[in-house]
Amino acid sequence: MLVAGLTGGIGCGKSTASECFIALGVPVIDADQVARQVVEPGSEALGKIAAHFGDPLIQADGTLDRPALRRIVFDNERERNWLEALLHPLIRDRILDTLEQLDQDGHSYAILASPLLLETDQHLLISRVIVVDVPESTQIERTMQRDGMEEAQVRQILAAQMDRDERLKHADFVLDNNGSPEHLKQAVAELHPKLKQQADEEDAADD
């Protein structure tokens, strides 16, 4: 099964692109959702986070206070490195399990959507890179509107992510999301048969 990675900086529209692929019947693994699953109430990872950062990060319902944790790790590189060392292997293992199941189910290709696809070893799980791209000014504006963040906080997140130009160097396909949602939907619809054809060609070559 061909696995295409879908990535882009914060505010680029990865989630919208993912929804477009799902609407076409393509299975999408969302690394952000997997990241939430590995810190569910009662999980070993959540217990380690509470022990390291303190119980106030655990909300009354037992879930992780993700915004509070995000503020801590984006202000402290050492703490961010500690958190990534804990979570990234867990996330990777769960993604691998899901990919194996999708392959067994007979899908020709799947999408792994991840904001840190190229910054982590998740890129080793894929054979194509799709970058959703917008100018940095658009990223900042959209993220501020969507998440209610201050500009300085958005810029901190951008600084922790791969530089836009560097990300584009890794791209096999680029989805320009500087237009309307319909424009992005059309771009995904045009990319879909290309990925399916490449998946079918790889499958035939393996037989």
Side-chain angles (χ1 to χ4, degrees), residues 187-207:
V188 172
E190 292 173 0
L191 177 57
H192 173 55
K194 297 177 184 177
L195 289 169
K196 195 171 186 313
Q197 180 180 356
Q198 291 185 13
D200 292 342
E201 289 173 352
E202 288 191 7
D203 187 49
D206 290 339
D207 289 343

Side-chain angles (χ1 to χ4, degrees), residues 49 52-54 56-57 65-80 83 153 156:
I49 289 171
H52 184 81
F53 292 105
L57 276 181
D65 187 340
R66 295 174 65 86
L69 179 61
R70 182 168 56 193
R71 286 192 294 271
I72 292 172
V73 300
F74 277 110
D75 284 336
N76 190 315
E77 184 178 0
R78 180 178 294 179
E79 297 290 24
R80 184 168 71 247
L83 184 67
Q153 189 177 5
Q156 273 188 311

Side-chain angles (χ1 to χ4, degrees), residues 123 141 187 196:
H123 71 275
E141 180 183 350
K196 195 171 186 313

